[in-house]
Amino acid sequence: MVIRHEDWESGQSLDLLNVGKITIHPPWKIPSVKEGIHICIDPSMAFGSGYHATTKGCLALIDQLFQEFIPTKVLDLGTGTGILSIACLKMGAQKAYCIDYNNLSTATAQKNIRLNGLERNLYLWMGDARDFLYLEADLLIANMHYQIIDQITSQEAFYSKKYYLLSGLLGHEGHRLEEKLKKRLTLLDTYQENFWFSYLFKLQ
């Protein structure tokens, strides 16, 4: 069975996608406008073309955060295509550590790292996100299932970053997470689209 790009992830064919100052484009369609941040993503069959509401929400909140604060190091748990870490590096972060347990995702992310010329700044590992919370970072990104986010937010090592971008959450899951984190993190902003929620937090 052959799955077409337009049937994958969001039912949309891959084209130019603008989120704030960020433009996502596939390798076969280069933007004519040079302004802003350009990110080349070939998603293959991994999650993270930019069209899904959770990825778009993360990009919108990254665009917002980087106007106020540019993290030096980013820890991206469940990186998928690598799109969010690539966005952070293109916007000024110096290093990104990317983790995914899926070999298709890590292979796709590696290709996208090369497409964007970021081999020296982005470090990629295949493994369990819960085992990498010890890594130093100013911004932790987790666009994953609620069950995994619930587990990593139960570990003390989670609370060693400055900012947190959590996504992949339906409304009731997001409310549960807000309640759990409110004593240790301050909610800065929320992005909602099609029942999906993304949250930007800061350590208190």
Side-chain angles (χ1 to χ4, degrees):
M1 178 181 178
V2 176
I3 302 177
R4 303 176 303 164
H5 275 297
E6 54 265 37
D7 294 329
W8 183 250
E9 189 176 299
S10 62
Q12 300 185 51
S13 59
L14 298 180
D15 203 333
L16 301 184
L17 174 68
N18 296 303
V19 181
K21 66 171 70 66
I22 303 167
T23 299
I24 312 294
H25 67 90
W28 55 86
K29 188 155 188 177
I30 307 300
S32 56
V33 178
K34 301 301 180 186
E35 288 78 16
I37 305 296
H38 292 188
I39 301 172
C40 182
I41 294 294
D42 186 350
S44 180
M45 291 296 114
F47 182 83
S49 67
Y51 282 92
H52 193 274
T54 59
T55 314
K56 202 185 299 180
C58 287
L59 290 169
L61 293 174
I62 286 170
D63 184 45
Q64 176 184 314
L65 172 62
F66 276 60
Q67 293 179 44
E68 304 293 330
F69 174 80
I70 299 179
T72 302
K73 297 177 183 177
V74 175
L75 175 58
D76 183 5
L77 304 175
T79 192
T81 61
I83 185 172
L84 300 178
S85 282
I86 291 169
C88 289
L89 290 172
K90 292 246 181 170
M91 296 181 73
Q94 295 178 18
K95 291 183 181 179
Y97 306 113
C98 298
I99 317 299
D100 207 295
Y101 71 92
N102 184 290
N103 61 351
L104 174 60
S105 291
T106 53
T108 303
Q110 191 66 59
K111 178 171 62 176
N112 289 320
I113 293 165
R114 291 194 301 270
L115 284 172
N116 290 277
L118 295 171
E119 295 94 331
R120 294 185 178 182
N121 306 87
L122 200 154
Y123 303 85
L124 178 66
W125 292 282
M126 187 167 74
D128 190 318
R130 292 163 290 195
D131 296 332
F132 290 86
L133 293 172
Y134 69 90
L135 288 172
E136 247 183 64
D138 305 302
L139 170 63
L140 181 149
I141 300 172
N143 183 12
M144 300 186 294
H145 296 297
Y146 170 75
Q147 289 79 5
I148 302 298
I149 293 179
D150 186 44
Q151 290 174 24
I152 64 174
T153 53
S154 297
Q155 295 189 37
E156 188 59 32
F158 175 84
Y159 300 95
S160 60
K161 324 305 178 194
K162 292 181 181 177
Y163 291 89
Y164 300 82
L165 180 51
L166 306 179
S167 190
L169 302 160
L170 295 170
H172 66 285
E173 297 169 339
H175 294 316
R176 254 184 277 166
L177 190 66
E178 281 187 69
E179 189 64 25
K180 178 180 181 180
L181 300 180
K182 67 181 183 181
K183 291 182 179 179
R184 304 194 67 170
L185 304 183
T186 299
L187 179 61
L188 298 180
D189 206 354
T190 306
Y191 180 98
Q192 177 188 0
E193 183 181 335
N194 298 335
F195 308 107
W196 295 101
F197 285 76
S198 303
Y199 296 88
L200 178 63
F201 292 93
K202 183 179 182 180
L203 189 68
Q204 290 179 3

